Amino acid sequence: MSRPLPIWCCRWKTQAEIGYWYENNSSQTLDPITATLPGGGDANPNNLNYALYNPDGSRAYDGPVEDAGYGLHAIFMQDSAKYLHDKLKIIGGFKYAIINYWQLGSDGSRTRENNKAPLPHLAISYDTNDHNQIYVKAEGNYRQPNPSNITVNPGSSLPRNQYSVTEQLGYKYHDNHIMLDLSLFNYDIKNRPLTTYLGNGETGVINAGNQTARGFDLMVAGRPIRHFSPYASFEYLHATLTIHPICRPRVWKS
């Protein structure tokens, strides 16, 4: 004779989402030329009383316009579910991003780079009772370098996106008087961006290497007392950076 399944394993709530994101960004760097102030100082570029103009009446600029930008395409999907009378919550998702960024140098050269970033996400929490919860989180993230940061270095390859994997294990407690959150974390970071000096007062961004960061966060907050909310937090962080030879990505010039 077959044994009936427990009722809790046959009931759950779920919600699914899917979407698409598009973003296009373009920025221009202009260096307007102005006359010198009577005292010998530089005039504000927005002060038209000291602005200089070309013979055709257009505003005079120092050199060609420096242009930079990026296009972003991303598709994402997510599903969330609740089990065990809503005590167990699971959220899983995935995003895939394609980023094409470029810069047009003041010498007319054009540099492009295309990057792809798979971004998984998983969050699980379980309420042991009305006051206590344990949770686990893991996800991938990326950080795109700003192409305009290296327009002062025409013709160079653009830095790659930073990619990181984040993992968390935590515990939460709350009641009518206090709230506490303790979490252990681990970050694994690839292609860490670094701002470097290029000369002539200009800076740019390069990929410096990989980084690992581990530690814990502790947060305690209390119920407001005479409109004053007590709060305290503490973090321990141990980070290491591994420098590696920078591999130049594929670059297209036109």
Side-chain angles (χ1 to χ4, degrees), residues 22-23 69-74 96-103 110-118 142 144-145 147 156-162 191 207 247-253:
Y22 171 74
E23 181 177 348
Y70 65 88
L72 169 66
H73 299 265
Y96 191 76
I98 301 176
I99 312 100
N100 178 34
Y101 49 104
W102 45 268
Q103 64 98 352
R110 185 180 182 90
T111 306
R112 295 180 181 179
E113 174 60 22
N114 183 273
N115 273 300
K116 303 174 181 65
Y142 81 97
Q144 176 185 307
S156 69
S157 61
L158 302 183
R160 297 179 179 180
N161 287 336
Q162 171 184 293
N191 297 320
N207 291 128
C247 297
R248 300 175 68 88
R250 292 181 300 169
V251 177
W252 295 268
K253 296 182 180 180

Side-chain angles (χ1 to χ4, degrees), residues 84-232:
L84 304 179
H85 304 288
D86 294 348
K87 290 185 176 182
L88 176 63
K89 303 178 183 68
I90 302 176
I91 301 176
F94 183 80
K95 178 189 289 185
Y96 191 76
I98 301 176
I99 312 100
N100 178 34
Y101 49 104
W102 45 268
Q103 64 98 352
L104 178 63
S106 58
D107 62 351
S109 64
R110 185 180 182 90
T111 306
R112 295 180 181 179
E113 174 60 22
N114 183 273
N115 273 300
K116 303 174 181 65
L119 307 171
H121 172 78
L122 176 65
I124 303 174
S125 64
Y126 180 74
D127 300 328
T128 58
N129 53 41
D130 293 337
H131 304 290
N132 296 274
Q133 181 190 84
I134 55 176
Y135 63 90
V136 176
K137 293 181 181 179
E139 63 181 0
N141 293 287
Y142 81 97
R143 177 185 174 189
Q144 176 185 307
N146 187 346
S148 63
N149 282 358
I150 63 169
T151 54
V152 294
N153 188 18
S156 69
S157 61
L158 302 183
R160 297 179 179 180
N161 287 336
Q162 171 184 293
Y163 186 81
S164 63
V165 176
T166 303
E167 299 160 332
Q168 279 185 292
L169 172 63
Y171 164 77
K172 290 182 180 180
Y173 173 83
H174 70 91
D175 56 25
N176 294 331
H177 305 285
I178 192 173
M179 181 175 64
L180 180 146
D181 189 345
L182 173 64
S183 65
L184 309 176
F185 62 84
N186 177 71
Y187 298 121
D188 187 16
I189 304 172
K190 306 293 185 183
N191 297 320
R192 184 77 170 178
L194 175 68
T195 301
T196 184
Y197 182 68
L198 300 176
N200 298 323
E202 304 289 351
T203 59
V205 176
I206 63 173
N207 291 128
N210 302 331
Q211 184 175 15
T212 300
R214 298 185 177 94
F216 69 86
D217 284 314
L218 175 63
M219 183 274 294
V220 181
R223 187 174 182 178
I225 303 174
R226 296 184 181 276
H227 308 289
F228 176 77
S229 300
Y231 174 86

Side-chain angles (χ1 to χ4, degrees), residues 56-91:
D56 60 359
S58 61
R59 185 75 183 269
Y61 294 97
D62 182 17
V65 176
E66 295 179 349
D67 199 358
Y70 65 88
L72 169 66
H73 299 265
I75 185 171
F76 62 90
M77 57 189 68
Q78 176 176 288
D79 186 41
S80 59
K82 298 180 180 180
Y83 305 92
L84 304 179
H85 304 288
D86 294 348
K87 290 185 176 182
L88 176 63
K89 303 178 183 68
I90 302 176
I91 301 176

Side-chain angles (χ1 to χ4, degrees), residues 11-25:
R11 293 182 179 178
W12 64 87
K13 302 175 183 177
T14 182
Q15 180 179 356
E17 301 176 34
I18 187 171
Y20 169 77
W21 177 269
Y22 171 74
E23 181 177 348
N24 186 277
N25 180 282

